[in-house]
Amino acid sequence: MTAIKTRILPKSKTIALVAHDSRKEELIKWAKANATVLTGFDIIATGTTGKLVEKALGKPVTCFLSGPYGGDQQLGSAIAEGKIHMVVFFWDPLEQQAHDNDVKALQRLAVLWNIPLACNRASADFMFNSIYMDTDYEIEVPELK
């Protein structure tokens, strides 16, 4: 059994934004609709998505590699290191991706490290309208030995 410890998701959160090609337009529309909220946070994104978000919001975005080239794995690593506090990942459930294993690993790490993960516009809207967006929030995480 894994021991549990706690970690704080800080008021000043770092948010990862990711979208499969068929969902990028939807993510950009969502980001524009939530521009006021998003400008108050640091944003990390995979390659192409990051460039699109940066252009849409006029805000600097830290861009990792494109998902299929290792960007999903970079995000997973940042989650495990406690550097990402929330993930908005508009993924396509109807289309198989060349990097499906990386996508599953990213989602698994978000769940394992107990950080909020939104996979569609409705869940992202609920998450971003939460009372916890503008405050520190204590989460339980596995304690590594």
Side-chain angles (χ1 to χ4, degrees), residues 17 43-45 49-51 53-55 57 59-63:
L17 299 180
I43 299 173
I44 296 177
T49 302
K51 291 173 189 160
V53 170
E54 191 170 73
K55 183 178 177 186
L57 298 181
K59 170 186 173 46
V61 173
T62 301
C63 294

Side-chain angles (χ1 to χ4, degrees), residues 29-95:
K29 285 167 88 176
W30 175 85
K32 285 180 179 179
N34 289 279
T36 304
V37 176
L38 285 170
T39 56
F41 298 103
D42 291 329
I43 299 173
I44 296 177
T46 50
T48 308
T49 302
K51 291 173 189 160
L52 292 170
V53 170
E54 191 170 73
K55 183 178 177 186
L57 298 181
K59 170 186 173 46
V61 173
T62 301
C63 294
F64 285 168
L65 297 171
S66 179
Y69 292 94
D72 295 331
Q73 291 185 359
Q74 288 178 297
L75 288 175
S77 176
I79 288 169
E81 294 171 359
K83 295 177 182 175
I84 292 177
H85 309 114
M86 302 172 76
V87 177
V88 175
F89 187 171
F90 285 17
W91 60 279
D92 187 342
L94 299 177
E95 191 172 308

Side-chain angles (χ1 to χ4, degrees), residues 19-23 89-97 100 103 119:
H20 285 151
D21 289 345
S22 62
R23 306 279 313 275
F89 187 171
F90 285 17
W91 60 279
D92 187 342
L94 299 177
E95 191 172 308
Q96 188 167 351
Q97 304 293 320
D100 271 343
V103 170
C119 296

